[in-house]
PDB file of all heavy atoms in Angstrom:
ATOM      1  N   ASN A 284     217.332  58.634  66.163  1.00  0.00           N
ATOM      2  CA  ASN A 284     216.579  58.119  65.018  1.00  0.00           C
ATOM      3  C   ASN A 284     217.059  56.724  64.644  1.00  0.00           C
ATOM      4  O   ASN A 284     217.754  56.535  63.646  1.00  0.00           O
ATOM      5  CB  ASN A 284     216.698  59.063  63.821  1.00  0.00           C
ATOM      6  CG  ASN A 284     215.509  58.913  62.885  1.00  0.00           C
ATOM      7  OD1 ASN A 284     214.970  57.816  62.711  1.00  0.00           O
ATOM      8  ND2 ASN A 284     215.098  60.016  62.267  1.00  0.00           N
ATOM      9  N   PRO A 285     216.677  55.729  65.442  1.00  0.00           N
ATOM     10  CA  PRO A 285     217.127  54.358  65.164  1.00  0.00           C
ATOM     11  C   PRO A 285     216.619  53.816  63.836  1.00  0.00           C
ATOM     12  O   PRO A 285     217.294  53.003  63.199  1.00  0.00           O
ATOM     13  CB  PRO A 285     216.578  53.563  66.350  1.00  0.00           C
ATOM     14  CG  PRO A 285     215.447  54.387  66.892  1.00  0.00           C
ATOM     15  CD  PRO A 285     215.845  55.805  66.666  1.00  0.00           C
ATOM     16  N   ASP A 286     215.431  54.263  63.419  1.00  0.00           N
ATOM     17  CA  ASP A 286     214.885  53.772  62.153  1.00  0.00           C
ATOM     18  C   ASP A 286     215.760  54.185  60.971  1.00  0.00           C
ATOM     19  O   ASP A 286     215.960  53.401  60.037  1.00  0.00           O
ATOM     20  CB  ASP A 286     213.461  54.277  61.955  1.00  0.00           C
ATOM     21  CG  ASP A 286     212.469  53.624  62.908  1.00  0.00           C
ATOM     22  OD1 ASP A 286     212.796  52.546  63.465  1.00  0.00           O
ATOM     23  OD2 ASP A 286     211.373  54.187  63.105  1.00  0.00           O
ATOM     24  N   ASN A 287     216.264  55.425  61.002  1.00  0.00           N
ATOM     25  CA  ASN A 287     217.151  55.874  59.933  1.00  0.00           C
ATOM     26  C   ASN A 287     218.415  55.037  59.874  1.00  0.00           C
ATOM     27  O   ASN A 287     218.926  54.715  58.796  1.00  0.00           O
ATOM     28  CB  ASN A 287     217.518  57.347  60.130  1.00  0.00           C
ATOM     29  CG  ASN A 287     216.466  58.295  59.592  1.00  0.00           C
ATOM     30  OD1 ASN A 287     215.424  57.856  59.090  1.00  0.00           O
ATOM     31  ND2 ASN A 287     216.712  59.597  59.692  1.00  0.00           N
ATOM     32  N   PHE A 288     218.951  54.690  61.036  1.00  0.00           N
ATOM     33  CA  PHE A 288     220.155  53.866  61.103  1.00  0.00           C
ATOM     34  C   PHE A 288     219.903  52.495  60.482  1.00  0.00           C
ATOM     35  O   PHE A 288     220.689  52.017  59.657  1.00  0.00           O
ATOM     36  CB  PHE A 288     220.590  53.732  62.559  1.00  0.00           C
ATOM     37  CG  PHE A 288     221.852  52.949  62.758  1.00  0.00           C
ATOM     38  CD1 PHE A 288     223.075  53.451  62.349  1.00  0.00           C
ATOM     39  CD2 PHE A 288     221.830  51.702  63.372  1.00  0.00           C
ATOM     40  CE1 PHE A 288     224.246  52.735  62.535  1.00  0.00           C
ATOM     41  CE2 PHE A 288     222.993  50.978  63.572  1.00  0.00           C
ATOM     42  CZ  PHE A 288     224.200  51.497  63.158  1.00  0.00           C
ATOM     43  N   ASP A 289     218.794  51.873  60.858  1.00  0.00           N
ATOM     44  CA  ASP A 289     218.473  50.550  60.322  1.00  0.00           C
ATOM     45  C   ASP A 289     218.176  50.610  58.828  1.00  0.00           C
ATOM     46  O   ASP A 289     218.518  49.684  58.077  1.00  0.00           O
ATOM     47  CB  ASP A 289     217.284  49.952  61.075  1.00  0.00           C
ATOM     48  CG  ASP A 289     217.644  49.485  62.465  1.00  0.00           C
ATOM     49  OD1 ASP A 289     218.846  49.254  62.724  1.00  0.00           O
ATOM     50  OD2 ASP A 289     216.733  49.351  63.315  1.00  0.00           O
ATOM     51  N   THR A 290     217.548  51.700  58.385  1.00  0.00           N
ATOM     52  CA  THR A 290     217.291  51.866  56.962  1.00  0.00           C
ATOM     53  C   THR A 290     218.596  51.950  56.180  1.00  0.00           C
ATOM     54  O   THR A 290     218.732  51.366  55.100  1.00  0.00           O
ATOM     55  CB  THR A 290     216.438  53.121  56.708  1.00  0.00           C
ATOM     56  OG1 THR A 290     215.168  52.986  57.354  1.00  0.00           O
ATOM     57  CG2 THR A 290     216.207  53.336  55.215  1.00  0.00           C
ATOM     58  N   GLY A 291     219.568  52.685  56.732  1.00  0.00           N
ATOM     59  CA  GLY A 291     220.872  52.792  56.096  1.00  0.00           C
ATOM     60  C   GLY A 291     221.573  51.455  55.997  1.00  0.00           C
ATOM     61  O   GLY A 291     222.174  51.122  54.969  1.00  0.00           O
ATOM     62  N   LEU A 292     221.497  50.659  57.061  1.00  0.00           N
ATOM     63  CA  LEU A 292     222.096  49.331  57.036  1.00  0.00           C
ATOM     64  C   LEU A 292     221.385  48.441  56.017  1.00  0.00           C
ATOM     65  O   LEU A 292     222.030  47.654  55.307  1.00  0.00           O
ATOM     66  CB  LEU A 292     222.028  48.694  58.425  1.00  0.00           C
ATOM     67  CG  LEU A 292     222.889  49.329  59.520  1.00  0.00           C
ATOM     68  CD1 LEU A 292     222.686  48.597  60.839  1.00  0.00           C
ATOM     69  CD2 LEU A 292     224.369  49.319  59.149  1.00  0.00           C
ATOM     70  N   ALA A 293     220.066  48.563  55.951  1.00  0.00           N
ATOM     71  CA  ALA A 293     219.300  47.757  55.000  1.00  0.00           C
ATOM     72  C   ALA A 293     219.705  48.052  53.562  1.00  0.00           C
ATOM     73  O   ALA A 293     219.738  47.151  52.719  1.00  0.00           O
ATOM     74  CB  ALA A 293     217.806  48.003  55.188  1.00  0.00           C
ATOM     75  N   ARG A 294     220.031  49.305  53.285  1.00  0.00           N
ATOM     76  CA  ARG A 294     220.488  49.672  51.941  1.00  0.00           C
ATOM     77  C   ARG A 294     221.827  49.022  51.619  1.00  0.00           C
ATOM     78  O   ARG A 294     222.186  48.892  50.452  1.00  0.00           O
ATOM     79  CB  ARG A 294     220.572  51.186  51.812  1.00  0.00           C
ATOM     80  CG  ARG A 294     219.219  51.882  51.937  1.00  0.00           C
ATOM     81  CD  ARG A 294     219.361  53.390  51.882  1.00  0.00           C
ATOM     82  NE  ARG A 294     219.756  53.827  50.564  1.00  0.00           N
ATOM     83  CZ  ARG A 294     220.610  54.812  50.308  1.00  0.00           C
ATOM     84  NH1 ARG A 294     221.176  55.438  51.323  1.00  0.00           N
ATOM     85  NH2 ARG A 294     220.933  55.144  49.070  1.00  0.00           N
ATOM     86  N   ARG A 295     222.567  48.621  52.630  1.00  0.00           N
ATOM     87  CA  ARG A 295     223.806  47.866  52.456  1.00  0.00           C
ATOM     88  C   ARG A 295     223.557  46.358  52.533  1.00  0.00           C
ATOM     89  O   ARG A 295     224.501  45.586  52.626  1.00  0.00           O
ATOM     90  CB  ARG A 295     224.831  48.269  53.509  1.00  0.00           C
ATOM     91  CG  ARG A 295     225.601  49.568  53.190  1.00  0.00           C
ATOM     92  CD  ARG A 295     226.821  49.631  53.973  1.00  0.00           C
ATOM     93  NE  ARG A 295     227.672  50.767  53.800  1.00  0.00           N
ATOM     94  CZ  ARG A 295     228.885  50.712  53.214  1.00  0.00           C
ATOM     95  NH1 ARG A 295     229.322  49.584  52.705  1.00  0.00           N
ATOM     96  NH2 ARG A 295     229.619  51.803  53.149  1.00  0.00           N
ATOM     97  N   CYS A 296     222.304  45.978  52.543  1.00  0.00           N
ATOM     98  CA  CYS A 296     221.910  44.567  52.619  1.00  0.00           C
ATOM     99  C   CYS A 296     222.321  43.941  53.954  1.00  0.00           C
ATOM    100  O   CYS A 296     222.688  42.764  54.019  1.00  0.00           O
ATOM    101  CB  CYS A 296     222.502  43.762  51.455  1.00  0.00           C
ATOM    102  SG  CYS A 296     222.041  44.388  49.818  1.00  0.00           S
ATOM    103  N   LEU A 297     222.254  44.738  55.027  1.00  0.00           N
ATOM    104  CA  LEU A 297     222.579  44.278  56.366  1.00  0.00           C
ATOM    105  C   LEU A 297     221.333  44.305  57.238  1.00  0.00           C
ATOM    106  O   LEU A 297     220.429  45.115  57.028  1.00  0.00           O
ATOM    107  CB  LEU A 297     223.664  45.159  56.994  1.00  0.00           C
ATOM    108  CG  LEU A 297     225.039  45.120  56.324  1.00  0.00           C
ATOM    109  CD1 LEU A 297     225.962  46.159  56.937  1.00  0.00           C
ATOM    110  CD2 LEU A 297     225.660  43.733  56.442  1.00  0.00           C
ATOM    111  N   PRO A 298     221.260  43.419  58.245  1.00  0.00           N
ATOM    112  CA  PRO A 298     220.089  43.377  59.126  1.00  0.00           C
ATOM    113  C   PRO A 298     220.054  44.578  60.065  1.00  0.00           C
ATOM    114  O   PRO A 298     221.079  45.230  60.287  1.00  0.00           O
ATOM    115  CB  PRO A 298     220.288  42.072  59.902  1.00  0.00           C
ATOM    116  CG  PRO A 298     221.778  41.877  59.919  1.00  0.00           C
ATOM    117  CD  PRO A 298     222.263  42.390  58.593  1.00  0.00           C
ATOM    118  N   PRO A 299     218.893  44.895  60.643  1.00  0.00           N
ATOM    119  CA  PRO A 299     218.806  46.006  61.602  1.00  0.00           C
ATOM    120  C   PRO A 299     219.644  45.721  62.841  1.00  0.00           C
ATOM    121  O   PRO A 299     219.715  44.580  63.309  1.00  0.00           O
ATOM    122  CB  PRO A 299     217.305  46.077  61.923  1.00  0.00           C
ATOM    123  CG  PRO A 299     216.768  44.714  61.607  1.00  0.00           C
ATOM    124  CD  PRO A 299     217.587  44.216  60.448  1.00  0.00           C
ATOM    125  N   MET A 300     220.257  46.772  63.369  1.00  0.00           N
ATOM    126  CA  MET A 300     221.129  46.626  64.529  1.00  0.00           C
ATOM    127  C   MET A 300     220.823  47.617  65.636  1.00  0.00           C
ATOM    128  O   MET A 300     221.393  47.527  66.717  1.00  0.00           O
ATOM    129  CB  MET A 300     222.587  46.799  64.095  1.00  0.00           C
ATOM    130  CG  MET A 300     223.167  45.637  63.314  1.00  0.00           C
ATOM    131  SD  MET A 300     223.342  44.156  64.324  1.00  0.00           S
ATOM    132  CE  MET A 300     224.540  44.692  65.546  1.00  0.00           C
ATOM    133  N   SER A 301     219.919  48.560  65.397  1.00  0.00           N
ATOM    134  CA  SER A 301     219.705  49.626  66.371  1.00  0.00           C
ATOM    135  C   SER A 301     219.218  49.085  67.713  1.00  0.00           C
ATOM    136  O   SER A 301     219.652  49.562  68.767  1.00  0.00           O
ATOM    137  CB  SER A 301     218.722  50.665  65.832  1.00  0.00           C
ATOM    138  OG  SER A 301     217.427  50.113  65.659  1.00  0.00           O
ATOM    139  N   ALA A 302     218.334  48.079  67.693  1.00  0.00           N
ATOM    140  CA  ALA A 302     217.790  47.544  68.940  1.00  0.00           C
ATOM    141  C   ALA A 302     218.895  46.948  69.803  1.00  0.00           C
ATOM    142  O   ALA A 302     218.954  47.190  71.015  1.00  0.00           O
ATOM    143  CB  ALA A 302     216.709  46.500  68.646  1.00  0.00           C
ATOM    144  N   ASP A 303     219.796  46.165  69.181  1.00  0.00           N
ATOM    145  CA  ASP A 303     220.892  45.550  69.927  1.00  0.00           C
ATOM    146  C   ASP A 303     221.853  46.613  70.454  1.00  0.00           C
ATOM    147  O   ASP A 303     222.311  46.543  71.607  1.00  0.00           O
ATOM    148  CB  ASP A 303     221.647  44.561  69.040  1.00  0.00           C
ATOM    149  CG  ASP A 303     220.814  43.336  68.682  1.00  0.00           C
ATOM    150  OD1 ASP A 303     219.836  43.051  69.406  1.00  0.00           O
ATOM    151  OD2 ASP A 303     221.150  42.666  67.683  1.00  0.00           O
ATOM    152  N   VAL A 304     222.165  47.586  69.595  1.00  0.00           N
ATOM    153  CA  VAL A 304     223.085  48.651  70.006  1.00  0.00           C
ATOM    154  C   VAL A 304     222.494  49.455  71.156  1.00  0.00           C
ATOM    155  O   VAL A 304     223.174  49.732  72.155  1.00  0.00           O
ATOM    156  CB  VAL A 304     223.412  49.572  68.815  1.00  0.00           C
ATOM    157  CG1 VAL A 304     224.201  50.804  69.288  1.00  0.00           C
ATOM    158  CG2 VAL A 304     224.207  48.826  67.756  1.00  0.00           C
ATOM    159  N   LEU A 305     221.219  49.832  71.036  1.00  0.00           N
ATOM    160  CA  LEU A 305     220.594  50.668  72.052  1.00  0.00           C
ATOM    161  C   LEU A 305     220.358  49.915  73.362  1.00  0.00           C
ATOM    162  O   LEU A 305     220.387  50.517  74.437  1.00  0.00           O
ATOM    163  CB  LEU A 305     219.281  51.245  71.522  1.00  0.00           C
ATOM    164  CG  LEU A 305     219.437  52.256  70.384  1.00  0.00           C
ATOM    165  CD1 LEU A 305     218.078  52.735  69.899  1.00  0.00           C
ATOM    166  CD2 LEU A 305     220.287  53.445  70.831  1.00  0.00           C
ATOM    167  N   GLU A 306     220.146  48.605  73.278  1.00  0.00           N
ATOM    168  CA  GLU A 306     220.018  47.818  74.505  1.00  0.00           C
ATOM    169  C   GLU A 306     221.320  47.844  75.295  1.00  0.00           C
ATOM    170  O   GLU A 306     221.322  48.069  76.517  1.00  0.00           O
ATOM    171  CB  GLU A 306     219.634  46.380  74.174  1.00  0.00           C
ATOM    172  CG  GLU A 306     219.448  45.503  75.419  1.00  0.00           C
ATOM    173  CD  GLU A 306     219.103  44.068  75.077  1.00  0.00           C
ATOM    174  OE1 GLU A 306     219.030  43.736  73.866  1.00  0.00           O
ATOM    175  OE2 GLU A 306     218.908  43.254  76.013  1.00  0.00           O
ATOM    176  N   ALA A 307     222.421  47.610  74.608  1.00  0.00           N
ATOM    177  CA  ALA A 307     223.727  47.654  75.267  1.00  0.00           C
ATOM    178  C   ALA A 307     224.053  49.072  75.738  1.00  0.00           C
ATOM    179  O   ALA A 307     224.572  49.279  76.838  1.00  0.00           O
ATOM    180  CB  ALA A 307     224.810  47.142  74.321  1.00  0.00           C
ATOM    181  N   ASP A 308     223.726  50.050  74.910  1.00  0.00           N
ATOM    182  CA  ASP A 308     223.955  51.441  75.283  1.00  0.00           C
ATOM    183  C   ASP A 308     223.127  51.828  76.508  1.00  0.00           C
ATOM    184  O   ASP A 308     223.600  52.558  77.393  1.00  0.00           O
ATOM    185  CB  ASP A 308     223.620  52.362  74.111  1.00  0.00           C
ATOM    186  CG  ASP A 308     223.767  53.835  74.451  1.00  0.00           C
ATOM    187  OD1 ASP A 308     224.889  54.259  74.803  1.00  0.00           O
ATOM    188  OD2 ASP A 308     222.742  54.554  74.378  1.00  0.00           O
ATOM    189  N   GLY A 309     221.882  51.333  76.575  1.00  0.00           N
ATOM    190  CA  GLY A 309     221.041  51.617  77.729  1.00  0.00           C
ATOM    191  C   GLY A 309     221.621  51.050  79.011  1.00  0.00           C
ATOM    192  O   GLY A 309     221.580  51.699  80.069  1.00  0.00           O
ATOM    193  N   GLU A 310     222.161  49.837  78.914  1.00  0.00           N
ATOM    194  CA  GLU A 310     222.792  49.235  80.078  1.00  0.00           C
ATOM    195  C   GLU A 310     224.015  50.041  80.507  1.00  0.00           C
ATOM    196  O   GLU A 310     224.244  50.257  81.694  1.00  0.00           O
ATOM    197  CB  GLU A 310     223.191  47.789  79.784  1.00  0.00           C
ATOM    198  CG  GLU A 310     223.767  47.075  80.999  1.00  0.00           C
ATOM    199  CD  GLU A 310     224.091  45.604  80.742  1.00  0.00           C
ATOM    200  OE1 GLU A 310     223.810  45.114  79.625  1.00  0.00           O
ATOM    201  OE2 GLU A 310     224.637  44.957  81.655  1.00  0.00           O
ATOM    202  N   TYR A 311     224.787  50.505  79.530  1.00  0.00           N
ATOM    203  CA  TYR A 311     225.961  51.315  79.830  1.00  0.00           C
ATOM    204  C   TYR A 311     225.567  52.609  80.539  1.00  0.00           C
ATOM    205  O   TYR A 311     226.183  52.997  81.541  1.00  0.00           O
ATOM    206  CB  TYR A 311     226.718  51.632  78.541  1.00  0.00           C
ATOM    207  CG  TYR A 311     227.874  52.589  78.730  1.00  0.00           C
ATOM    208  CD1 TYR A 311     229.098  52.139  79.215  1.00  0.00           C
ATOM    209  CD2 TYR A 311     227.733  53.945  78.445  1.00  0.00           C
ATOM    210  CE1 TYR A 311     230.160  53.008  79.408  1.00  0.00           C
ATOM    211  CE2 TYR A 311     228.790  54.820  78.636  1.00  0.00           C
ATOM    212  CZ  TYR A 311     229.996  54.353  79.113  1.00  0.00           C
ATOM    213  OH  TYR A 311     231.047  55.222  79.312  1.00  0.00           O
ATOM    214  N   ARG A 312     224.552  53.260  80.056  1.00  0.00           N
ATOM    215  CA  ARG A 312     224.109  54.518  80.654  1.00  0.00           C
ATOM    216  C   ARG A 312     223.553  54.297  82.059  1.00  0.00           C
ATOM    217  O   ARG A 312     223.764  55.111  82.959  1.00  0.00           O
ATOM    218  CB  ARG A 312     223.072  55.183  79.758  1.00  0.00           C
ATOM    219  CG  ARG A 312     223.635  55.570  78.393  1.00  0.00           C
ATOM    220  CD  ARG A 312     222.551  55.998  77.440  1.00  0.00           C
ATOM    221  NE  ARG A 312     222.069  57.333  77.727  1.00  0.00           N
ATOM    222  CZ  ARG A 312     221.025  57.906  77.140  1.00  0.00           C
ATOM    223  NH1 ARG A 312     220.319  57.223  76.261  1.00  0.00           N
ATOM    224  NH2 ARG A 312     220.666  59.133  77.445  1.00  0.00           N
ATOM    225  N   SER A 313     222.844  53.180  82.239  1.00  0.00           N
ATOM    226  CA  SER A 313     222.298  52.858  83.551  1.00  0.00           C
ATOM    227  C   SER A 313     223.417  52.610  84.560  1.00  0.00           C
ATOM    228  O   SER A 313     223.374  53.097  85.702  1.00  0.00           O
ATOM    229  CB  SER A 313     221.390  51.631  83.459  1.00  0.00           C
ATOM    230  OG  SER A 313     220.908  51.241  84.717  1.00  0.00           O
ATOM    231  N   ILE A 314     224.415  51.854  84.135  1.00  0.00           N
ATOM    232  CA  ILE A 314     225.562  51.584  85.003  1.00  0.00           C
ATOM    233  C   ILE A 314     226.295  52.880  85.331  1.00  0.00           C
ATOM    234  O   ILE A 314     226.708  53.106  86.475  1.00  0.00           O
ATOM    235  CB  ILE A 314     226.507  50.571  84.337  1.00  0.00           C
ATOM    236  CG1 ILE A 314     225.850  49.185  84.294  1.00  0.00           C
ATOM    237  CG2 ILE A 314     227.840  50.502  85.094  1.00  0.00           C
ATOM    238  CD1 ILE A 314     226.618  48.176  83.473  1.00  0.00           C
ATOM    239  N   THR A 315     226.451  53.744  84.329  1.00  0.00           N
ATOM    240  CA  THR A 315     227.133  55.017  84.536  1.00  0.00           C
ATOM    241  C   THR A 315     226.395  55.870  85.572  1.00  0.00           C
ATOM    242  O   THR A 315     227.012  56.482  86.443  1.00  0.00           O
ATOM    243  CB  THR A 315     227.262  55.781  83.207  1.00  0.00           C
ATOM    244  OG1 THR A 315     228.016  54.988  82.271  1.00  0.00           O
ATOM    245  CG2 THR A 315     227.961  57.121  83.414  1.00  0.00           C
ATOM    246  N   THR A 316     225.056  55.885  85.474  1.00  0.00           N
ATOM    247  CA  THR A 316     224.254  56.638  86.438  1.00  0.00           C
ATOM    248  C   THR A 316     224.419  56.086  87.852  1.00  0.00           C
ATOM    249  O   THR A 316     224.628  56.838  88.815  1.00  0.00           O
ATOM    250  CB  THR A 316     222.770  56.611  86.038  1.00  0.00           C
ATOM    251  OG1 THR A 316     222.609  57.213  84.756  1.00  0.00           O
ATOM    252  CG2 THR A 316     221.919  57.361  87.061  1.00  0.00           C
ATOM    253  N   GLU A 317     224.331  54.756  87.971  1.00  0.00           N
ATOM    254  CA  GLU A 317     224.495  54.146  89.288  1.00  0.00           C
ATOM    255  C   GLU A 317     225.892  54.396  89.843  1.00  0.00           C
ATOM    256  O   GLU A 317     226.062  54.648  91.035  1.00  0.00           O
ATOM    257  CB  GLU A 317     224.223  52.643  89.225  1.00  0.00           C
ATOM    258  CG  GLU A 317     224.301  51.975  90.606  1.00  0.00           C
ATOM    259  CD  GLU A 317     224.066  50.479  90.577  1.00  0.00           C
ATOM    260  OE1 GLU A 317     223.731  49.949  89.503  1.00  0.00           O
ATOM    261  OE2 GLU A 317     224.237  49.843  91.642  1.00  0.00           O
ATOM    262  N   LEU A 318     226.889  54.316  88.998  1.00  0.00           N
ATOM    263  CA  LEU A 318     228.258  54.552  89.434  1.00  0.00           C
ATOM    264  C   LEU A 318     228.419  55.966  89.989  1.00  0.00           C
ATOM    265  O   LEU A 318     229.079  56.179  91.010  1.00  0.00           O
ATOM    266  CB  LEU A 318     229.231  54.318  88.271  1.00  0.00           C
ATOM    267  CG  LEU A 318     230.731  54.426  88.571  1.00  0.00           C
ATOM    268  CD1 LEU A 318     231.145  53.432  89.656  1.00  0.00           C
ATOM    269  CD2 LEU A 318     231.543  54.174  87.295  1.00  0.00           C
ATOM    270  N   GLN A 319     227.800  56.929  89.328  1.00  0.00           N
ATOM    271  CA  GLN A 319     227.858  58.303  89.813  1.00  0.00           C
ATOM    272  C   GLN A 319     227.163  58.444  91.164  1.00  0.00           C
ATOM    273  O   GLN A 319     227.662  59.143  92.055  1.00  0.00           O
ATOM    274  CB  GLN A 319     227.219  59.234  88.784  1.00  0.00           C
ATOM    275  CG  GLN A 319     228.014  59.370  87.491  1.00  0.00           C
ATOM    276  CD  GLN A 319     227.258  60.082  86.393  1.00  0.00           C
ATOM    277  OE1 GLN A 319     226.029  60.258  86.473  1.00  0.00           O
ATOM    278  NE2 GLN A 319     227.982  60.504  85.360  1.00  0.00           N
ATOM    279  N   GLU A 320     226.015  57.761  91.292  1.00  0.00           N
ATOM    280  CA  GLU A 320     225.275  57.819  92.555  1.00  0.00           C
ATOM    281  C   GLU A 320     226.070  57.188  93.691  1.00  0.00           C
ATOM    282  O   GLU A 320     226.127  57.718  94.812  1.00  0.00           O
ATOM    283  CB  GLU A 320     223.928  57.120  92.395  1.00  0.00           C
ATOM    284  CG  GLU A 320     222.962  57.853  91.467  1.00  0.00           C
ATOM    285  CD  GLU A 320     221.726  57.035  91.177  1.00  0.00           C
ATOM    286  OE1 GLU A 320     221.713  55.817  91.513  1.00  0.00           O
ATOM    287  OE2 GLU A 320     220.763  57.582  90.595  1.00  0.00           O
ATOM    288  N   VAL A 321     226.696  56.040  93.412  1.00  0.00           N
ATOM    289  CA  VAL A 321     227.498  55.357  94.427  1.00  0.00           C
ATOM    290  C   VAL A 321     228.702  56.211  94.802  1.00  0.00           C
ATOM    291  O   VAL A 321     229.071  56.309  95.983  1.00  0.00           O
ATOM    292  CB  VAL A 321     227.938  53.963  93.928  1.00  0.00           C
ATOM    293  CG1 VAL A 321     228.926  53.328  94.905  1.00  0.00           C
ATOM    294  CG2 VAL A 321     226.731  53.055  93.749  1.00  0.00           C
ATOM    295  N   GLN A 322     229.326  56.840  93.814  1.00  0.00           N
ATOM    296  CA  GLN A 322     230.460  57.714  94.066  1.00  0.00           C
ATOM    297  C   GLN A 322     230.068  58.881  94.967  1.00  0.00           C
ATOM    298  O   GLN A 322     230.783  59.231  95.914  1.00  0.00           O
ATOM    299  CB  GLN A 322     231.028  58.237  92.745  1.00  0.00           C
ATOM    300  CG  GLN A 322     232.195  59.214  92.892  1.00  0.00           C
ATOM    301  CD  GLN A 322     233.461  58.550  93.366  1.00  0.00           C
ATOM    302  OE1 GLN A 322     233.966  57.656  92.699  1.00  0.00           O
ATOM    303  NE2 GLN A 322     233.982  58.954  94.500  1.00  0.00           N
ATOM    304  N   THR A 323     228.904  59.460  94.682  1.00  0.00           N
ATOM    305  CA  THR A 323     228.410  60.573  95.505  1.00  0.00           C
ATOM    306  C   THR A 323     228.146  60.112  96.936  1.00  0.00           C
ATOM    307  O   THR A 323     228.525  60.795  97.904  1.00  0.00           O
ATOM    308  CB  THR A 323     227.125  61.152  94.896  1.00  0.00           C
ATOM    309  OG1 THR A 323     227.403  61.644  93.578  1.00  0.00           O
ATOM    310  CG2 THR A 323     226.584  62.288  95.757  1.00  0.00           C
ATOM    311  N   ARG A 324     227.489  58.941  97.083  1.00  0.00           N
ATOM    312  CA  ARG A 324     227.211  58.407  98.406  1.00  0.00           C
ATOM    313  C   ARG A 324     228.486  58.107  99.172  1.00  0.00           C
ATOM    314  O   ARG A 324     228.600  58.411 100.369  1.00  0.00           O
ATOM    315  CB  ARG A 324     226.382  57.134  98.267  1.00  0.00           C
ATOM    316  CG  ARG A 324     226.103  56.401  99.588  1.00  0.00           C
ATOM    317  CD  ARG A 324     225.412  57.288 100.586  1.00  0.00           C
ATOM    318  NE  ARG A 324     225.256  56.582 101.877  1.00  0.00           N
ATOM    319  CZ  ARG A 324     225.082  57.187 103.013  1.00  0.00           C
ATOM    320  NH1 ARG A 324     225.068  58.535 103.068  1.00  0.00           N
ATOM    321  NH2 ARG A 324     224.934  56.499 104.146  1.00  0.00           N
ATOM    322  N   ARG A 325     229.474  57.566  98.491  1.00  0.00           N
ATOM    323  CA  ARG A 325     230.752  57.261  99.146  1.00  0.00           C
ATOM    324  C   ARG A 325     231.443  58.537  99.608  1.00  0.00           C
ATOM    325  O   ARG A 325     231.986  58.599 100.723  1.00  0.00           O
ATOM    326  CB  ARG A 325     231.652  56.493  98.186  1.00  0.00           C
ATOM    327  CG  ARG A 325     232.991  56.101  98.812  1.00  0.00           C
ATOM    328  CD  ARG A 325     233.962  55.607  97.754  1.00  0.00           C
ATOM    329  NE  ARG A 325     235.266  55.350  98.318  1.00  0.00           N
ATOM    330  CZ  ARG A 325     236.376  55.182  97.620  1.00  0.00           C
ATOM    331  NH1 ARG A 325     236.327  55.277  96.312  1.00  0.00           N
ATOM    332  NH2 ARG A 325     237.529  54.948  98.224  1.00  0.00           N
ATOM    333  N   ASN A 326     231.433  59.561  98.768  1.00  0.00           N
ATOM    334  CA  ASN A 326     232.073  60.831  99.140  1.00  0.00           C
ATOM    335  C   ASN A 326     231.385  61.446 100.356  1.00  0.00           C
ATOM    336  O   ASN A 326     232.050  61.953 101.274  1.00  0.00           O
ATOM    337  CB  ASN A 326     232.039  61.800  97.966  1.00  0.00           C
ATOM    338  CG  ASN A 326     232.949  61.367  96.820  1.00  0.00           C
ATOM    339  OD1 ASN A 326     233.842  60.540  97.004  1.00  0.00           O
ATOM    340  ND2 ASN A 326     232.716  61.917  95.626  1.00  0.00           N
TER     341      ASN A 326
END
């Protein structure tokens, strides 16, 4: 629920951050998946 997160930050007078966080998180998850695949192929 990224909207809830951004709403909470807005109540603290802070800008939305979910998009930036999830973009980096998506890259991390993608790398993790590829790393697992490469590890399997190497084994």
Side-chain angles (χ1 to χ4, degrees):
N284 205 325
D286 290 341
N287 277 2
F288 182 69
D289 286 339
T290 298
L292 292 179
R294 296 177 69 218
R295 279 199 179 249
C296 303
L297 295 173
M300 287 292 296
S301 65
D303 292 339
V304 171
L305 293 178
E306 181 182 1
D308 177 61
E310 184 177 357
Y311 174 80
R312 297 170 76 187
S313 176
I314 290 171
T315 300
T316 299
E317 184 181 354
L318 184 59
Q319 291 169 345
E320 292 172 348
V321 172
Q322 178 71 60
T323 299
R324 176 57 184 158
R325 182 192 175 195
N326 291 342

